[in-house]
Amino acid sequence: MNYHEITCESALHKLKRKIPFAWDLNLYRGCEHRCRYCFAIYSHRYLDSGDFFGDIFAKTNILEKLEKELASPNWKREIVSIGGVTDSYQPWERERKIMPEVLKLFIRYRTPVIISTKSDLILRDLELIDELSHVAMVNIAATITTVDEQLQAKLEPGAVSSKRRFAMLKAMRDTNACTGLHVMPILPYLTDNRNNMEGLFAGGRDAEVDYVLPGTLYLRGQTRNVFMDFIAHEFPELLPKYQKLYATGGAGKAYKDELYKMVHAVRDAYHLSGSYMAPLRKR
């Protein structure tokens, strides 16, 4: 890994939509989790770097910028998504320790947050998350694609195991935060089988998550090349199938209709909510 420091002009980035969140906050550029399907690979083209997984940038002035924006009289305490592009709890965070200071600012300014992560490093900040969850809405979401740990290690070689992510979600029940299981992206021919969905939803039930949110794989831009190269190397027999199914950026409607029919049936069998907003509103 090559680690770098950069500055940013602003901490919060306003999104076109407002539901379920209106703002995005990313502490890092690039991500050590090295997920083969990562949609954000394109973002490094703005940094004069072609290695999204190897060149990791930390924003050294992010706390100064964030406090200025949260303290503004114009700030309306809208929901902020933390780590929507790059994981705020990727390995370098263990050394940088930016997130505890970020959480303290959100506590001070009583601002609701959604934190998405593939790491259990977030448990380091459990007490701060609990404190924030008593003054503002907090949603902690873990993205988990498969219960097959060998496959998971291939798909997400820099992330912690699925088992550890489920354990993290369960531990979050000791806070007032709501929790979500993000089953995304669902990978055709690899993770889209019923047995895997049964395992994921059983894990979600045991962790007592408030909701489950599934999503299909999209392959666009640089992500397409990276993922197809991965398939060609690790699962060459699937390459023709992927090339056919992904003639465009997304899988066809017929495939998705059948997939979601199965996924929703399994989710309902485990009595899990499919509503992203309901648990947020109740807090």
Short mmCIF file of all heavy atoms in Angstrom, two decimals, residues 35-97:
data_model
loop_
_atom_site.label_atom_id
_atom_site.label_comp_id
_atom_site.label_asym_id
_atom_site.label_seq_id
_atom_site.Cartn_x
_atom_site.Cartn_y
_atom_site.Cartn_z
N CYS A 35 -12.43 -4.71 -3.12
CA CYS A 35 -13.59 -5.46 -3.63
C CYS A 35 -13.57 -5.47 -5.15
O CYS A 35 -13.45 -4.41 -5.79
CB CYS A 35 -14.88 -4.83 -3.11
SG CYS A 35 -14.97 -4.77 -1.30
N ARG A 36 -13.67 -6.64 -5.73
CA ARG A 36 -13.52 -6.80 -7.17
C ARG A 36 -14.62 -6.11 -7.96
O ARG A 36 -14.46 -5.87 -9.16
CB ARG A 36 -13.47 -8.28 -7.52
CG ARG A 36 -12.41 -9.09 -6.77
CD ARG A 36 -11.04 -8.47 -6.88
NE ARG A 36 -10.00 -9.33 -6.30
CZ ARG A 36 -8.74 -8.97 -6.13
NH1 ARG A 36 -8.36 -7.76 -6.48
NH2 ARG A 36 -7.86 -9.81 -5.60
N TYR A 37 -15.72 -5.80 -7.31
CA TYR A 37 -16.88 -5.22 -7.98
C TYR A 37 -17.06 -3.74 -7.65
O TYR A 37 -18.09 -3.15 -7.95
CB TYR A 37 -18.14 -5.97 -7.54
CG TYR A 37 -18.24 -6.14 -6.05
CD1 TYR A 37 -18.58 -5.07 -5.23
CD2 TYR A 37 -17.93 -7.37 -5.45
CE1 TYR A 37 -18.64 -5.21 -3.86
CE2 TYR A 37 -17.98 -7.51 -4.07
CZ TYR A 37 -18.34 -6.44 -3.28
OH TYR A 37 -18.39 -6.58 -1.92
N CYS A 38 -16.08 -3.11 -7.01
CA CYS A 38 -16.24 -1.75 -6.47
C CYS A 38 -16.65 -0.75 -7.56
O CYS A 38 -15.98 -0.62 -8.60
CB CYS A 38 -14.94 -1.29 -5.82
SG CYS A 38 -15.05 0.38 -5.13
N PHE A 39 -17.73 -0.02 -7.29
CA PHE A 39 -18.24 0.95 -8.27
C PHE A 39 -17.42 2.23 -8.28
O PHE A 39 -17.51 3.03 -9.22
CB PHE A 39 -19.70 1.30 -7.95
CG PHE A 39 -19.84 2.24 -6.79
CD1 PHE A 39 -19.92 3.61 -6.99
CD2 PHE A 39 -19.88 1.77 -5.48
CE1 PHE A 39 -20.04 4.49 -5.92
CE2 PHE A 39 -20.01 2.63 -4.41
CZ PHE A 39 -20.08 4.00 -4.62
N ALA A 40 -16.60 2.47 -7.24
CA ALA A 40 -15.95 3.77 -7.07
C ALA A 40 -14.55 3.84 -7.67
O ALA A 40 -13.87 4.84 -7.51
CB ALA A 40 -15.87 4.10 -5.57
N ILE A 41 -14.13 2.80 -8.39
CA ILE A 41 -12.78 2.79 -8.94
C ILE A 41 -12.52 4.01 -9.82
O ILE A 41 -11.41 4.55 -9.85
CB ILE A 41 -12.56 1.49 -9.76
CG1 ILE A 41 -12.65 0.27 -8.82
CG2 ILE A 41 -11.22 1.50 -10.47
CD1 ILE A 41 -12.65 -1.06 -9.56
N TYR A 42 -13.55 4.48 -10.50
CA TYR A 42 -13.42 5.61 -11.42
C TYR A 42 -12.89 6.87 -10.72
O TYR A 42 -12.27 7.74 -11.34
CB TYR A 42 -14.79 5.94 -12.03
CG TYR A 42 -15.71 6.64 -11.06
CD1 TYR A 42 -15.76 8.02 -10.98
CD2 TYR A 42 -16.51 5.91 -10.18
CE1 TYR A 42 -16.58 8.66 -10.06
CE2 TYR A 42 -17.33 6.52 -9.27
CZ TYR A 42 -17.36 7.91 -9.21
OH TYR A 42 -18.17 8.53 -8.30
N SER A 43 -13.15 7.00 -9.41
CA SER A 43 -12.89 8.27 -8.71
C SER A 43 -11.41 8.62 -8.63
O SER A 43 -11.07 9.79 -8.42
CB SER A 43 -13.50 8.22 -7.30
OG SER A 43 -12.89 7.21 -6.51
N HIS A 44 -10.52 7.67 -8.82
CA HIS A 44 -9.09 7.97 -8.75
C HIS A 44 -8.58 8.73 -9.96
O HIS A 44 -7.44 9.23 -9.93
CB HIS A 44 -8.29 6.68 -8.55
CG HIS A 44 -7.78 6.51 -7.15
ND1 HIS A 44 -8.50 6.90 -6.06
CD2 HIS A 44 -6.61 6.00 -6.67
CE1 HIS A 44 -7.80 6.63 -4.96
NE2 HIS A 44 -6.66 6.09 -5.30
N ARG A 45 -9.38 8.81 -10.99
CA ARG A 45 -8.92 9.55 -12.16
C ARG A 45 -8.74 11.03 -11.86
O ARG A 45 -8.04 11.75 -12.57
CB ARG A 45 -9.90 9.37 -13.32
CG ARG A 45 -11.25 10.04 -13.14
CD ARG A 45 -12.17 9.74 -14.32
NE ARG A 45 -13.47 10.38 -14.17
CZ ARG A 45 -14.61 9.80 -14.49
NH1 ARG A 45 -14.63 8.56 -14.96
NH2 ARG A 45 -15.75 10.44 -14.35
N TYR A 46 -9.37 11.49 -10.77
CA TYR A 46 -9.22 12.90 -10.37
C TYR A 46 -7.97 13.13 -9.52
O TYR A 46 -7.66 14.26 -9.18
CB TYR A 46 -10.45 13.36 -9.59
CG TYR A 46 -11.75 13.14 -10.33
CD1 TYR A 46 -12.69 12.23 -9.87
CD2 TYR A 46 -12.04 13.84 -11.49
CE1 TYR A 46 -13.89 12.02 -10.54
CE2 TYR A 46 -13.23 13.65 -12.17
CZ TYR A 46 -14.15 12.73 -11.69
OH TYR A 46 -15.33 12.53 -12.36
N LEU A 47 -7.27 12.06 -9.18
CA LEU A 47 -6.13 12.16 -8.27
C LEU A 47 -4.80 11.84 -8.94
O LEU A 47 -3.79 11.68 -8.27
CB LEU A 47 -6.33 11.21 -7.08
CG LEU A 47 -7.47 11.56 -6.15
CD1 LEU A 47 -7.68 10.45 -5.13
CD2 LEU A 47 -7.21 12.87 -5.43
N ASP A 48 -4.80 11.72 -10.23
CA ASP A 48 -3.57 11.42 -10.95
C ASP A 48 -2.99 10.08 -10.48
O ASP A 48 -1.78 9.93 -10.33
CB ASP A 48 -2.55 12.54 -10.76
CG ASP A 48 -1.50 12.57 -11.87
OD1 ASP A 48 -1.81 12.03 -12.96
OD2 ASP A 48 -0.41 13.12 -11.66
N SER A 49 -3.90 9.12 -10.21
CA SER A 49 -3.49 7.79 -9.78
C SER A 49 -4.39 6.77 -10.45
O SER A 49 -5.60 6.96 -10.54
CB SER A 49 -3.58 7.64 -8.26
OG SER A 49 -3.46 6.29 -7.88
N GLY A 50 -3.81 5.67 -10.88
CA GLY A 50 -4.60 4.63 -11.52
C GLY A 50 -4.82 3.43 -10.63
O GLY A 50 -5.37 2.42 -11.07
N ASP A 51 -4.40 3.53 -9.36
CA ASP A 51 -4.47 2.38 -8.47
C ASP A 51 -5.38 2.69 -7.29
O ASP A 51 -4.94 3.11 -6.22
CB ASP A 51 -3.07 2.00 -7.98
CG ASP A 51 -3.06 0.65 -7.25
OD1 ASP A 51 -4.14 0.08 -7.03
OD2 ASP A 51 -1.95 0.19 -6.91
N PHE A 52 -6.67 2.46 -7.46
CA PHE A 52 -7.66 2.74 -6.43
C PHE A 52 -7.43 1.92 -5.18
O PHE A 52 -7.71 2.36 -4.06
CB PHE A 52 -9.06 2.46 -6.99
CG PHE A 52 -10.19 2.76 -6.04
CD1 PHE A 52 -10.68 4.05 -5.91
CD2 PHE A 52 -10.77 1.75 -5.29
CE1 PHE A 52 -11.73 4.33 -5.03
CE2 PHE A 52 -11.82 2.02 -4.42
CZ PHE A 52 -12.29 3.31 -4.29
N PHE A 53 -6.92 0.70 -5.34
CA PHE A 53 -6.73 -0.20 -4.22
C PHE A 53 -5.36 -0.08 -3.56
O PHE A 53 -5.17 -0.55 -2.44
CB PHE A 53 -6.92 -1.66 -4.67
CG PHE A 53 -8.27 -1.92 -5.29
CD1 PHE A 53 -8.36 -2.50 -6.55
CD2 PHE A 53 -9.43 -1.61 -4.63
CE1 PHE A 53 -9.59 -2.75 -7.13
CE2 PHE A 53 -10.67 -1.86 -5.19
CZ PHE A 53 -10.76 -2.43 -6.45
N GLY A 54 -4.41 0.54 -4.23
CA GLY A 54 -3.06 0.61 -3.70
C GLY A 54 -2.62 1.99 -3.25
O GLY A 54 -1.77 2.11 -2.37
N ASP A 55 -3.20 3.04 -3.84
CA ASP A 55 -2.89 4.41 -3.45
C ASP A 55 -4.04 4.93 -2.59
O ASP A 55 -5.13 5.23 -3.09
CB ASP A 55 -2.73 5.31 -4.68
CG ASP A 55 -1.38 5.13 -5.36
OD1 ASP A 55 -0.41 4.80 -4.66
OD2 ASP A 55 -1.31 5.31 -6.58
N ILE A 56 -3.81 5.02 -1.29
CA ILE A 56 -4.85 5.43 -0.36
C ILE A 56 -4.53 6.84 0.15
O ILE A 56 -3.41 7.12 0.59
CB ILE A 56 -4.94 4.46 0.84
CG1 ILE A 56 -4.98 3.00 0.35
CG2 ILE A 56 -6.15 4.79 1.70
CD1 ILE A 56 -6.15 2.68 -0.56
N PHE A 57 -5.53 7.72 0.07
CA PHE A 57 -5.35 9.11 0.44
C PHE A 57 -6.23 9.45 1.64
O PHE A 57 -7.43 9.15 1.64
CB PHE A 57 -5.74 10.03 -0.73
CG PHE A 57 -4.90 9.86 -1.96
CD1 PHE A 57 -5.12 8.80 -2.84
CD2 PHE A 57 -3.89 10.77 -2.26
CE1 PHE A 57 -4.35 8.65 -3.99
CE2 PHE A 57 -3.12 10.63 -3.41
CZ PHE A 57 -3.35 9.56 -4.27
N ALA A 58 -5.66 10.07 2.66
CA ALA A 58 -6.41 10.55 3.81
C ALA A 58 -6.53 12.07 3.73
O ALA A 58 -5.55 12.77 3.41
CB ALA A 58 -5.72 10.15 5.11
N LYS A 59 -7.71 12.59 4.02
CA LYS A 59 -7.96 14.03 3.97
C LYS A 59 -7.57 14.65 5.31
O LYS A 59 -8.29 14.49 6.31
CB LYS A 59 -9.43 14.29 3.63
CG LYS A 59 -9.86 13.69 2.29
CD LYS A 59 -11.35 13.86 2.05
CE LYS A 59 -11.78 13.20 0.74
NZ LYS A 59 -13.24 13.32 0.51
N THR A 60 -6.46 15.34 5.33
CA THR A 60 -5.88 15.79 6.60
C THR A 60 -6.66 16.93 7.25
O THR A 60 -6.56 17.12 8.47
CB THR A 60 -4.43 16.24 6.38
OG1 THR A 60 -4.40 17.29 5.39
CG2 THR A 60 -3.56 15.08 5.91
N ASN A 61 -7.42 17.69 6.48
CA ASN A 61 -8.16 18.83 7.05
C ASN A 61 -9.66 18.55 7.14
O ASN A 61 -10.46 19.48 7.27
CB ASN A 61 -7.92 20.09 6.22
CG ASN A 61 -8.42 19.96 4.78
OD1 ASN A 61 -8.55 18.83 4.26
ND2 ASN A 61 -8.71 21.07 4.14
N ILE A 62 -10.05 17.27 7.08
CA ILE A 62 -11.46 16.93 7.04
C ILE A 62 -12.21 17.37 8.30
O ILE A 62 -13.36 17.81 8.24
CB ILE A 62 -11.65 15.40 6.81
CG1 ILE A 62 -13.08 15.07 6.44
CG2 ILE A 62 -11.20 14.60 8.01
CD1 ILE A 62 -13.41 15.24 5.01
N LEU A 63 -11.57 17.31 9.47
CA LEU A 63 -12.24 17.67 10.71
C LEU A 63 -12.50 19.18 10.78
O LEU A 63 -13.58 19.62 11.20
CB LEU A 63 -11.42 17.22 11.91
CG LEU A 63 -11.25 15.70 12.06
CD1 LEU A 63 -10.26 15.38 13.16
CD2 LEU A 63 -12.59 15.03 12.32
N GLU A 64 -11.52 19.95 10.36
CA GLU A 64 -11.67 21.41 10.34
C GLU A 64 -12.81 21.81 9.41
O GLU A 64 -13.66 22.64 9.78
CB GLU A 64 -10.36 22.04 9.87
CG GLU A 64 -10.43 23.53 9.63
CD GLU A 64 -9.18 24.06 8.93
OE1 GLU A 64 -8.15 23.35 8.92
OE2 GLU A 64 -9.26 25.17 8.38
N LYS A 65 -12.85 21.22 8.22
CA LYS A 65 -13.90 21.55 7.26
C LYS A 65 -15.27 21.09 7.76
O LYS A 65 -16.27 21.79 7.62
CB LYS A 65 -13.59 20.90 5.91
CG LYS A 65 -12.35 21.44 5.22
CD LYS A 65 -12.57 22.88 4.77
CE LYS A 65 -11.38 23.39 3.97
NZ LYS A 65 -11.58 24.80 3.51
N LEU A 66 -15.32 19.88 8.35
CA LEU A 66 -16.59 19.34 8.81
C LEU A 66 -17.18 20.19 9.93
O LEU A 66 -18.38 20.49 9.92
CB LEU A 66 -16.39 17.90 9.29
CG LEU A 66 -17.64 17.19 9.82
CD1 LEU A 66 -18.72 17.09 8.75
CD2 LEU A 66 -17.28 15.79 10.33
N GLU A 67 -16.36 20.59 10.89
CA GLU A 67 -16.90 21.40 11.98
C GLU A 67 -17.43 22.74 11.48
O GLU A 67 -18.47 23.21 11.93
CB GLU A 67 -15.84 21.63 13.06
CG GLU A 67 -16.38 22.47 14.20
CD GLU A 67 -15.61 22.34 15.48
OE1 GLU A 67 -14.41 21.99 15.43
OE2 GLU A 67 -16.21 22.61 16.55
N LYS A 68 -16.73 23.34 10.56
CA LYS A 68 -17.19 24.61 10.00
C LYS A 68 -18.55 24.45 9.34
O LYS A 68 -19.44 25.31 9.50
CB LYS A 68 -16.17 25.13 8.99
CG LYS A 68 -16.52 26.49 8.40
CD LYS A 68 -15.44 26.98 7.45
CE LYS A 68 -15.81 28.34 6.85
NZ LYS A 68 -14.75 28.82 5.91
N GLU A 69 -18.75 23.34 8.63
CA GLU A 69 -20.01 23.12 7.92
C GLU A 69 -21.15 22.76 8.88
O GLU A 69 -22.28 23.23 8.73
CB GLU A 69 -19.82 22.03 6.86
CG GLU A 69 -18.92 22.50 5.72
CD GLU A 69 -18.34 21.35 4.89
OE1 GLU A 69 -18.80 20.21 5.05
OE2 GLU A 69 -17.41 21.61 4.11
N LEU A 70 -20.85 21.95 9.90
CA LEU A 70 -21.89 21.57 10.87
C LEU A 70 -22.27 22.74 11.76
O LEU A 70 -23.41 22.82 12.24
CB LEU A 70 -21.42 20.40 11.72
CG LEU A 70 -21.19 19.06 11.02
CD1 LEU A 70 -20.72 18.01 12.02
CD2 LEU A 70 -22.44 18.58 10.29
N ALA A 71 -21.34 23.65 12.01
CA ALA A 71 -21.60 24.80 12.88
C ALA A 71 -22.32 25.93 12.14
O ALA A 71 -22.80 26.87 12.78
CB ALA A 71 -20.28 25.33 13.45
N SER A 72 -22.42 25.84 10.85
CA SER A 72 -23.06 26.89 10.06
C SER A 72 -24.54 27.03 10.43
O SER A 72 -25.24 26.04 10.63
CB SER A 72 -22.95 26.56 8.57
OG SER A 72 -23.79 27.41 7.80
N PRO A 73 -25.03 28.26 10.53
CA PRO A 73 -26.46 28.46 10.81
C PRO A 73 -27.35 27.92 9.71
O PRO A 73 -28.56 27.73 9.91
CB PRO A 73 -26.58 29.99 10.94
CG PRO A 73 -25.38 30.54 10.23
CD PRO A 73 -24.30 29.53 10.44
N ASN A 74 -26.77 27.65 8.56
CA ASN A 74 -27.55 27.09 7.44
C ASN A 74 -27.67 25.57 7.50
O ASN A 74 -28.42 24.98 6.71
CB ASN A 74 -26.89 27.49 6.11
CG ASN A 74 -26.90 28.99 5.88
OD1 ASN A 74 -27.86 29.67 6.24
ND2 ASN A 74 -25.83 29.51 5.31
N TRP A 75 -26.93 24.94 8.42
CA TRP A 75 -26.98 23.48 8.50
C TRP A 75 -28.30 23.03 9.11
O TRP A 75 -28.68 23.45 10.20
CB TRP A 75 -25.81 22.96 9.32
CG TRP A 75 -25.81 21.45 9.47
CD1 TRP A 75 -25.92 20.74 10.63
CD2 TRP A 75 -25.71 20.49 8.42
NE1 TRP A 75 -25.89 19.39 10.37
CE2 TRP A 75 -25.76 19.21 9.02
CE3 TRP A 75 -25.59 20.59 7.04
CZ2 TRP A 75 -25.70 18.04 8.28
CZ3 TRP A 75 -25.52 19.42 6.30
CH2 TRP A 75 -25.58 18.17 6.91
N LYS A 76 -29.02 22.14 8.41
CA LYS A 76 -30.35 21.73 8.83
C LYS A 76 -30.39 20.33 9.44
O LYS A 76 -31.44 19.74 9.58
CB LYS A 76 -31.30 21.78 7.63
CG LYS A 76 -31.50 23.19 7.07
CD LYS A 76 -32.45 23.18 5.89
CE LYS A 76 -32.80 24.59 5.45
NZ LYS A 76 -31.63 25.39 5.05
N ARG A 77 -29.24 19.81 9.77
CA ARG A 77 -29.14 18.49 10.42
C ARG A 77 -29.81 17.39 9.59
O ARG A 77 -30.52 16.54 10.10
CB ARG A 77 -29.75 18.53 11.82
CG ARG A 77 -29.01 19.43 12.78
CD ARG A 77 -29.65 19.42 14.15
NE ARG A 77 -28.93 20.32 15.06
CZ ARG A 77 -29.37 20.64 16.28
NH1 ARG A 77 -30.49 20.11 16.73
NH2 ARG A 77 -28.67 21.46 17.04
N GLU A 78 -29.56 17.44 8.29
CA GLU A 78 -30.03 16.37 7.42
C GLU A 78 -29.13 15.14 7.58
O GLU A 78 -28.01 15.24 8.08
CB GLU A 78 -30.02 16.84 5.96
CG GLU A 78 -31.01 17.97 5.70
CD GLU A 78 -30.94 18.48 4.27
OE1 GLU A 78 -29.97 19.21 3.96
OE2 GLU A 78 -31.83 18.16 3.47
N ILE A 79 -29.63 13.99 7.15
CA ILE A 79 -28.88 12.74 7.31
C ILE A 79 -27.63 12.76 6.44
O ILE A 79 -27.67 13.10 5.26
CB ILE A 79 -29.76 11.53 6.94
CG1 ILE A 79 -30.97 11.46 7.87
CG2 ILE A 79 -28.95 10.23 7.06
CD1 ILE A 79 -31.96 10.36 7.47
N VAL A 80 -26.51 12.36 7.04
CA VAL A 80 -25.23 12.27 6.33
C VAL A 80 -24.83 10.81 6.21
O VAL A 80 -24.84 10.06 7.19
CB VAL A 80 -24.13 13.04 7.08
CG1 VAL A 80 -22.77 12.86 6.39
CG2 VAL A 80 -24.48 14.52 7.19
N SER A 81 -24.48 10.39 5.01
CA SER A 81 -23.95 9.05 4.78
C SER A 81 -22.43 9.10 4.90
O SER A 81 -21.77 9.86 4.20
CB SER A 81 -24.34 8.54 3.39
OG SER A 81 -23.66 7.34 3.09
N ILE A 82 -21.89 8.29 5.81
CA ILE A 82 -20.44 8.24 6.01
C ILE A 82 -19.90 6.95 5.39
O ILE A 82 -20.30 5.86 5.77
CB ILE A 82 -20.07 8.29 7.50
CG1 ILE A 82 -20.68 9.53 8.17
CG2 ILE A 82 -18.57 8.27 7.69
CD1 ILE A 82 -20.42 9.61 9.66
N GLY A 83 -19.00 7.09 4.44
CA GLY A 83 -18.38 5.92 3.83
C GLY A 83 -19.16 5.35 2.67
O GLY A 83 -19.06 4.15 2.38
N GLY A 84 -19.92 6.19 1.97
CA GLY A 84 -20.69 5.69 0.84
C GLY A 84 -19.85 5.38 -0.39
O GLY A 84 -20.25 4.60 -1.24
N VAL A 85 -18.66 6.00 -0.47
CA VAL A 85 -17.78 5.76 -1.61
C VAL A 85 -16.56 4.95 -1.18
O VAL A 85 -16.22 3.94 -1.79
CB VAL A 85 -17.34 7.09 -2.25
CG1 VAL A 85 -16.37 6.84 -3.41
CG2 VAL A 85 -18.56 7.87 -2.74
N THR A 86 -15.89 5.38 -0.12
CA THR A 86 -14.74 4.63 0.41
C THR A 86 -14.96 4.36 1.89
O THR A 86 -15.41 5.24 2.63
CB THR A 86 -13.43 5.40 0.21
OG1 THR A 86 -13.53 6.68 0.82
CG2 THR A 86 -13.11 5.55 -1.25
N ASP A 87 -14.66 3.17 2.33
CA ASP A 87 -14.96 2.74 3.69
C ASP A 87 -14.15 3.53 4.71
O ASP A 87 -12.92 3.59 4.66
CB ASP A 87 -14.65 1.24 3.84
CG ASP A 87 -15.38 0.61 5.00
OD1 ASP A 87 -15.43 1.22 6.08
OD2 ASP A 87 -15.90 -0.52 4.82
N SER A 88 -14.87 4.15 5.66
CA SER A 88 -14.20 4.95 6.68
C SER A 88 -13.50 4.09 7.72
O SER A 88 -12.72 4.61 8.53
CB SER A 88 -15.23 5.86 7.38
OG SER A 88 -15.79 6.76 6.45
N TYR A 89 -13.78 2.79 7.72
CA TYR A 89 -13.14 1.88 8.66
C TYR A 89 -12.22 0.88 7.95
O TYR A 89 -12.04 -0.24 8.40
CB TYR A 89 -14.18 1.15 9.50
CG TYR A 89 -14.79 2.05 10.56
CD1 TYR A 89 -16.03 2.64 10.37
CD2 TYR A 89 -14.10 2.32 11.73
CE1 TYR A 89 -16.58 3.47 11.34
CE2 TYR A 89 -14.64 3.15 12.71
CZ TYR A 89 -15.88 3.73 12.50
OH TYR A 89 -16.42 4.56 13.46
N GLN A 90 -11.63 1.34 6.83
CA GLN A 90 -10.64 0.49 6.18
C GLN A 90 -9.38 0.46 7.05
O GLN A 90 -9.24 1.25 7.99
CB GLN A 90 -10.35 1.00 4.77
CG GLN A 90 -9.85 2.44 4.68
CD GLN A 90 -9.62 2.84 3.24
OE1 GLN A 90 -8.71 2.34 2.60
NE2 GLN A 90 -10.47 3.73 2.72
N PRO A 91 -8.44 -0.46 6.77
CA PRO A 91 -7.33 -0.70 7.69
C PRO A 91 -6.53 0.52 8.14
O PRO A 91 -6.11 0.59 9.30
CB PRO A 91 -6.46 -1.69 6.90
CG PRO A 91 -7.45 -2.48 6.12
CD PRO A 91 -8.50 -1.47 5.69
N TRP A 92 -6.30 1.50 7.26
CA TRP A 92 -5.48 2.65 7.67
C TRP A 92 -6.13 3.45 8.79
O TRP A 92 -5.46 4.13 9.56
CB TRP A 92 -5.21 3.55 6.45
CG TRP A 92 -4.05 4.48 6.64
CD1 TRP A 92 -3.04 4.39 7.56
CD2 TRP A 92 -3.75 5.65 5.86
NE1 TRP A 92 -2.14 5.42 7.41
CE2 TRP A 92 -2.56 6.21 6.37
CE3 TRP A 92 -4.38 6.26 4.78
CZ2 TRP A 92 -1.99 7.36 5.83
CZ3 TRP A 92 -3.81 7.40 4.24
CH2 TRP A 92 -2.62 7.94 4.76
N GLU A 93 -7.46 3.36 8.91
CA GLU A 93 -8.17 4.07 9.97
C GLU A 93 -7.73 3.61 11.35
O GLU A 93 -7.79 4.38 12.32
CB GLU A 93 -9.68 3.90 9.80
CG GLU A 93 -10.54 4.36 10.97
CD GLU A 93 -10.43 5.84 11.30
OE1 GLU A 93 -9.94 6.63 10.45
OE2 GLU A 93 -10.84 6.22 12.42
N ARG A 94 -7.23 2.38 11.46
CA ARG A 94 -6.75 1.89 12.75
C ARG A 94 -5.61 2.78 13.26
O ARG A 94 -5.46 2.99 14.47
CB ARG A 94 -6.26 0.45 12.59
CG ARG A 94 -6.03 -0.28 13.91
CD ARG A 94 -5.65 -1.73 13.67
NE ARG A 94 -6.68 -2.44 12.95
CZ ARG A 94 -7.77 -2.98 13.52
NH1 ARG A 94 -7.95 -2.87 14.82
NH2 ARG A 94 -8.66 -3.61 12.78
N GLU A 95 -4.81 3.30 12.33
CA GLU A 95 -3.70 4.19 12.69
C GLU A 95 -4.12 5.65 12.70
O GLU A 95 -3.76 6.40 13.61
CB GLU A 95 -2.55 3.98 11.71
CG GLU A 95 -1.38 4.92 11.90
CD GLU A 95 -0.34 4.77 10.79
OE1 GLU A 95 -0.26 3.69 10.18
OE2 GLU A 95 0.38 5.75 10.54
N ARG A 96 -4.91 6.07 11.69
CA ARG A 96 -5.26 7.48 11.55
C ARG A 96 -6.23 7.96 12.62
O ARG A 96 -6.17 9.09 13.09
CB ARG A 96 -5.87 7.73 10.16
CG ARG A 96 -5.01 7.40 8.97
CD ARG A 96 -3.85 8.35 8.79
NE ARG A 96 -4.21 9.75 8.74
CZ ARG A 96 -3.39 10.71 8.33
NH1 ARG A 96 -2.18 10.40 7.89
NH2 ARG A 96 -3.76 11.96 8.33
N LYS A 97 -7.20 7.11 12.99
CA LYS A 97 -8.17 7.43 14.04
C LYS A 97 -8.91 8.75 13.78
O LYS A 97 -9.04 9.61 14.67
CB LYS A 97 -7.48 7.48 15.41
CG LYS A 97 -6.85 6.15 15.80
CD LYS A 97 -6.14 6.24 17.14
CE LYS A 97 -5.50 4.89 17.49
NZ LYS A 97 -4.73 4.94 18.77
#
